[in-house]
Amino acid sequence: MRVAEIDTPALVVDLERMERNVAAMSRFFADKRAKLRPHWKTPKCVEVAQRQLAAGAIGITCAKLGEAEALAAGGVRASVLIANQLVGGAKLARLIELAQVLPELVVAVDSADQVDALDAALGGARSPAPRLGALVEVDTGMHRCGTSTAEQTVALAGRLRASRVAYRGVMGYEGHAVLVADAAKRKELAEAAAAALCAHVDALRAAGLAPEIVSSGGTGTFDLTGTVPGVTEIQAGSYVFMDGRYREVRSDFELALSLHTTVIHRRGRLVVTDAGVKSLSSDFGLPVALDLGARVVGLSEEHGHVLLDEGVDVSPGQRIRILPSHGDTTINLHDRYYAARGDSVEAVWAIVGRGRFV
Amino acid sequence: MRVAEIDTPALVVDLERMERNVAAMSRFFADKRAKLRPHWKTPKCVEVAQRQLAAGAIGITCAKLGEAEALAAGGVRASVLIANQLVGGAKLARLIELAQVLPELVVAVDSADQVDALDAALGGARSPAPRLGALVEVDTGMHRCGTSTAEQTVALAGRLRASRVAYRGVMGYEGHAVLVADAAKRKELAEAAAAALCAHVDALRAAGLAPEIVSSGGTGTFDLTGTVPGVTEIQAGSYVFMDGRYREVRSDFELALSLHTTVIHRRGRLVVTDAGVKSLSSDFGLPVALDLGARVVGLSEEHGHVLLDEGVDVSPGQRIRILPSHGDTTINLHDRYYAARGDSVEAVWAIVGRGRFV
């Protein structure tokens, strides 16, 4: 199939650009002590994970249990970190099942109740119980989840060590820094977050609880936190495709994902496409058109409203490529990628780990 | 299964409320000349369509071809209106296939090129060609798609009559009116839109092109446009579940849909749930919590940030029900509903017509 024959709206991956992004990140980590465990909440695609692992990633980071289940269902047998708290009996039962399948599975905890619940779930597992690891999540400034003080972190690490759960280390995600466009400000925030994380690591060492894993970093900060002594792995995910928001933050990766749309109506300089908010997320604001001197000025459910530059000629039936403002949430609206090399569709890849995968 | 055992985040339908909404809308149309053709872009669920048809709906309205295909794949054999322009060879080939399956299929057109493309697609169909109908879409004030002048409408209707496509009538959706909370202003906008549509109908009658179908109306305006002489059917969809935005507009339907979430972290008056923008849309702003004196104050991808009222006690593991601000786009993020009667889950219903159904 040619790219021009794909029915729209459709997410199209530019394979050459994606491969260069994967290779560039691989080169960065080749001589670093920290390694890459790319975040799968961006691509949600087994074929992308396989390419990242083949390029040297030490495992995969997931945002929720359902993503890790989808990876496993797709045949991936890598080390997986679920960088989130899992709460509730149904989730923990699923987690124990998944731990039987994956070679290594690690989750985040930030409360004693969670440690106790994981311990009890392992205690109730059919024999032999699987190995399940945990990191203590530290709040390094984002103020979402995580421990606030080193004392809390040490206490949780000790509680893990005394439990059936394998204590593996700590994580701290500087989500408040990764998208800051001002490079100096981003560096300042990332360094402060890394310093906070390292203070917890020092306290753990002093308590005889030296962490094996210290996980941090995103696409906006991987080169800042990924070179901090003591940090062992980085969770960056968006670099693989990039998006409109990250384009404002860094220029060392290529735009590898676009939504192909078809113009269905024209009224002067305004055209209407077949892609609205049910195909393009707006949580990071309106996306931008990549062609034709066109600007997206509004989205209804199944229509995109695009304003053409003066003198631009576009007719119904023509295509306009849109750069998602937020790749992660736009991808979450779709079931498949068209993976293209030049004008040829080389493969159709399933997008999984969404919807029923909670 | 009990509702409390559903793994979260999960969309839960309160069946008793939904059934009352369906019955209330059915009662409204029982003695009207206009009939209900509910919009399926809201529920995207075969079981909901079946209940609406059983309650007297004359057919189903869809926003795109993929929704109509999903309805047909689910076994529905009703009259279907796709209230949108379909552009491109791949779409028209699929449309012709679908017309072989459904007892009645009608699409919207607003340009001569579209009429010609539909005509050519029917001409190229395997014999016998299916019957395919079309409505001329009129812009009644929303300024998205549609004809602007009665002359354009008459010309397109004439072109349809001269083609292989069955000319069936007109449609005009007053999307700029349906969500206006001020009842007087909403009435004014809806009446102006209906008057604009009727002027096109008058011109068609004068040209010997009297429309059989005159389709209009949404949940915010069904009682305004549904009583205008000449309007034959109404496209309201959101009434079946309602949502946070429509709650501001009208009180004669019940809130029948909520997202059940689990608290995973607490920090003073702030709690974090397991539902972010990948489970809850934000195109109509932040959703609201239905329980516990809680307010949603932010959403990240897989986390909801909720502020508790002073003195409210909530612990990790507890559940908070969230009312989507925009039902249509929240439903579009999910693969299934848990259909509950009281505390019991009576069925799990698939949400279809999204993702790959473009």
Side-chain angles (χ1 to χ4, degrees):
Chain A
M1 194 199 285
R2 317 301 297 173
V3 169
E5 293 163 359
I6 301 169
D7 206 350
T8 63
L11 277 181
V12 179
V13 173
D14 183 319
L15 280 174
E16 289 169 8
R17 291 174 173 224
M18 184 193 94
E19 287 162 1
R20 286 195 292 268
N21 288 344
V22 170
M25 197 58 119
S26 178
R27 274 195 304 279
F28 176 86
F29 282 101
D31 62 353
K32 304 296 183 299
R33 295 174 73 172
K35 298 300 170 196
L36 178 67
R37 185 190 287 274
H39 215 309
W40 206 57
K41 73 184 175 75
T42 297
K44 291 179 179 277
C45 176
V46 167
E47 288 82 355
V48 174
Q50 288 166 336
R51 280 156 181 76
Q52 292 170 314
L53 291 165
I58 59 164
I60 300 290
T61 306
C62 291
K64 57 182 176 182
L65 177 58
E67 289 177 3
E69 288 174 329
L71 260 176
V76 173
R77 292 293 177 272
S79 168
V80 171
L81 164 62
I82 301 172
N84 205 344
Q85 283 66 36
L86 302 184
V87 174
K91 283 235 166 39
L92 297 191
R94 289 165 48 200
L95 180 70
I96 300 297
E97 286 300 306
L98 184 63
Q100 314 268 6
V101 174
L102 291 173
E104 184 171 62
L105 182 58
V106 180
V107 298
V109 297
D110 67 0
S111 77
D113 285 349
Q114 282 161 18
V115 177
D116 294 349
L118 289 169
D119 184 49
L122 280 169
R126 65 177 193 272
S127 178
R131 183 173 153 86
L132 177 69
L135 306 181
V136 179
E137 179 170 357
V138 175
D139 176 12
T140 62
M142 181 169 55
H143 305 319
R144 190 168 66 190
C145 296
T147 58
S148 304
T149 67
E151 290 68 31
Q152 291 172 348
T153 301
V154 169
L156 279 184
R159 199 169 184 115
L160 280 170
R161 182 156 282 176
S163 79
R164 296 177 184 86
V165 189
Y167 163 65
R168 301 297 300 281
V170 292
M171 67 160 275
Y173 175 61
E174 64 279 18
H176 58 298
V178 293
L179 284 164
V180 174
D182 178 321
K185 180 72 182 165
R186 187 166 76 251
K187 184 166 187 286
E188 182 189 318
L189 289 170
E191 286 175 351
L197 188 58
C198 290
H200 288 239
V201 170
D202 290 344
L204 287 164
R205 287 207 177 101
L209 290 160
E212 177 191 350
I213 296 174
V214 179
S215 173
S216 179
T219 290
T221 56
F222 73 92
D223 47 353
L224 302 167
T225 50
T227 52
V228 170
V231 171
T232 66
E233 53 184 74
I234 291 293
Q235 303 180 5
S238 297
Y239 76 94
V240 72
F241 294 143
M242 295 294 286
D243 60 23
R245 183 78 177 274
Y246 260 121
R247 181 167 69 161
E248 309 294 315
V249 175
R250 60 189 320 146
S251 57
D252 40 359
F253 295 96
E254 301 182 49
L255 302 177
L257 183 72
S258 60
L259 188 78
H260 288 219
T261 73
T262 299
V263 173
I264 64 168
H265 181 83
R266 176 162 185 180
R267 178 192 303 251
R269 285 176 57 202
L270 273 167
V271 296
V272 178
T273 73
D274 58 0
V277 284
K278 283 179 171 170
S279 305
L280 269 170
S281 66
S282 59
D283 55 308
F284 280 0
L286 288 173
V288 298
L290 287 168
D291 305 305
L292 300 166
R295 280 186 293 129
V296 178
V297 293
L299 295 171
S300 39
E301 287 180 40
E302 299 286 2
H303 299 80
H305 303 253
V306 175
L307 185 65
L308 302 175
D309 283 351
E310 200 76 60
V312 172
D313 188 28
V314 174
S315 307
Q318 278 187 252
R319 297 194 170 205
I320 294 179
R321 293 179 309 147
I322 309 286
L323 175 68
S325 52
H326 193 184
D328 295 17
T329 51
T330 294
I331 292 162
N332 187 56
L333 297 169
H334 292 262
D335 285 340
R336 57 189 171 194
Y337 299 108
Y338 293 85
R341 197 172 300 280
D343 290 334
S344 289
V345 177
E346 196 169 286
V348 178
W349 289 344
I351 297 168
V352 290
R354 52 154 306 287
R356 70 189 177 85
F357 289 92
V358 296
Chain B
M1 194 198 285
R2 315 302 296 173
V3 168
E5 294 162 358
I6 301 170
D7 207 351
T8 62
L11 277 181
V12 179
V13 173
D14 183 319
L15 281 173
E16 289 169 7
R17 290 174 174 224
M18 184 194 93
E19 287 162 0
R20 285 195 292 267
N21 288 344
V22 170
M25 198 58 119
S26 179
R27 273 196 305 278
F28 176 84
F29 281 102
D31 62 352
K32 304 296 184 300
R33 295 173 72 171
K35 297 301 170 195
L36 178 67
R37 185 190 287 274
H39 215 311
W40 206 57
K41 74 184 174 74
T42 297
K44 291 179 179 278
C45 177
V46 167
E47 288 82 355
V48 174
Q50 287 166 337
R51 280 156 181 76
Q52 292 170 314
L53 291 165
I58 58 165
I60 300 290
T61 305
C62 291
K64 58 182 176 182
L65 177 58
E67 289 177 4
E69 289 174 328
L71 259 177
V76 174
R77 293 292 178 273
S79 168
V80 172
L81 165 63
I82 302 173
N84 205 344
Q85 283 67 36
L86 302 184
V87 174
K91 282 235 167 40
L92 297 191
R94 289 164 50 200
L95 180 70
I96 300 297
E97 285 300 306
L98 185 62
Q100 314 269 5
V101 174
L102 290 173
E104 184 171 61
L105 183 58
V106 180
V107 298
V109 297
D110 66 0
S111 78
D113 285 350
Q114 283 161 17
V115 176
D116 294 349
L118 288 170
D119 183 48
L122 281 169
R126 67 177 192 273
S127 179
R131 182 172 153 89
L132 177 69
L135 306 182
V136 179
E137 180 170 355
V138 174
D139 176 12
T140 61
M142 183 171 52
H143 305 320
R144 190 168 67 190
C145 296
T147 58
S148 303
T149 66
E151 290 68 32
Q152 291 172 347
T153 301
V154 169
L156 279 184
R159 199 169 184 115
L160 280 171
R161 181 156 283 175
S163 79
R164 296 177 186 85
V165 189
Y167 163 64
R168 301 295 301 279
V170 293
M171 66 160 274
Y173 175 60
E174 63 278 19
H176 58 297
V178 292
L179 284 164
V180 173
D182 178 321
K185 180 72 181 165
R186 188 167 74 251
K187 184 167 188 285
E188 182 189 317
L189 289 169
E191 286 176 352
L197 187 58
C198 289
H200 288 239
V201 170
D202 290 344
L204 287 164
R205 287 208 177 101
L209 292 160
E212 177 191 350
I213 296 174
V214 179
S215 172
S216 180
T219 291
T221 56
F222 75 90
D223 46 352
L224 302 168
T225 49
T227 52
V228 169
V231 171
T232 67
E233 53 184 75
I234 291 293
Q235 303 179 4
S238 297
Y239 76 94
V240 72
F241 295 144
M242 294 294 286
D243 60 24
R245 184 78 177 275
Y246 260 122
R247 181 169 68 161
E248 309 295 315
V249 174
R250 60 189 320 147
S251 58
D252 40 358
F253 296 96
E254 300 181 49
L255 302 177
L257 183 73
S258 60
L259 187 79
H260 289 219
T261 73
T262 299
V263 173
I264 65 168
H265 181 83
R266 175 162 186 180
R267 178 189 303 250
R269 284 177 58 202
L270 273 166
V271 296
V272 178
T273 72
D274 58 0
V277 283
K278 284 179 171 170
S279 306
L280 268 170
S281 66
S282 59
D283 56 308
F284 280 0
L286 289 172
V288 296
L290 287 167
D291 305 306
L292 299 165
R295 280 185 294 128
V296 179
V297 294
L299 295 172
S300 39
E301 287 181 40
E302 300 286 3
H303 300 79
H305 303 254
V306 174
L307 185 65
L308 302 175
D309 282 351
E310 201 76 61
V312 172
D313 188 30
V314 174
S315 307
Q318 278 186 252
R319 299 195 169 203
I320 295 180
R321 294 179 308 147
I322 309 285
L323 175 67
S325 51
H326 193 182
D328 295 18
T329 51
T330 295
I331 292 162
N332 187 56
L333 297 167
H334 292 262
D335 285 339
R336 57 189 172 195
Y337 299 108
Y338 293 85
R341 196 171 302 278
D343 289 334
S344 289
V345 177
E346 194 170 288
V348 178
W349 290 342
I351 296 168
V352 290
R354 52 154 307 286
R356 70 190 178 83
F357 289 92
V358 296

